[in-house]
Amino acid sequence: KPVVSARTPALPDSLVHKEHLYLCERGDAGSLAEAIRSLRADPELCQRLANNGYRLFCEEFDLNHIGQEFARHLEELAAG
């Protein structure tokens, strides 16, 4: 499924608007409504966001990858 999210500083740089997800302005109902209308009108964009977002999740954000990254940080702290 395509993901709609607010633009926030917490979003990783690897998440790109209209490539992995659809971004709208935080706290702006009109921006959210526009995102929903845009996605409803463009099934190809919905499919592309769903596919690309899922692929990126599997490559960078699944439990194994996050665990490996966490372990690497712990090893750096222990060595430092």
Side-chain angles (χ1 to χ4, degrees), residues 7-73:
R7 294 179 197 275
T8 69
L11 282 175
D13 292 336
S14 57
L15 293 173
V16 178
H17 174 59
K18 290 188 178 180
E19 185 177 331
H20 304 107
L21 73 168
Y22 199 103
L23 295 173
C24 60
E25 299 306 318
R26 187 172 63 183
D28 184 340
S31 180
L32 176 58
E34 179 58 32
I36 293 168
R37 282 192 297 269
S38 294
L39 292 171
R40 183 176 180 200
D42 192 344
E44 289 179 14
L45 175 60
C46 286
Q47 191 62 52
R48 187 171 69 245
L49 294 178
N51 292 340
N52 291 344
Y54 182 70
R55 184 172 33 257
L56 183 66
F57 169 80
C58 290
E59 292 171 358
E60 295 186 21
F61 300 107
D62 72 341
L63 189 57
N64 288 330
H65 287 91
I66 290 173
Q68 290 171 1
E69 186 72 12
F70 185 70
R72 187 177 62 77
H73 288 299

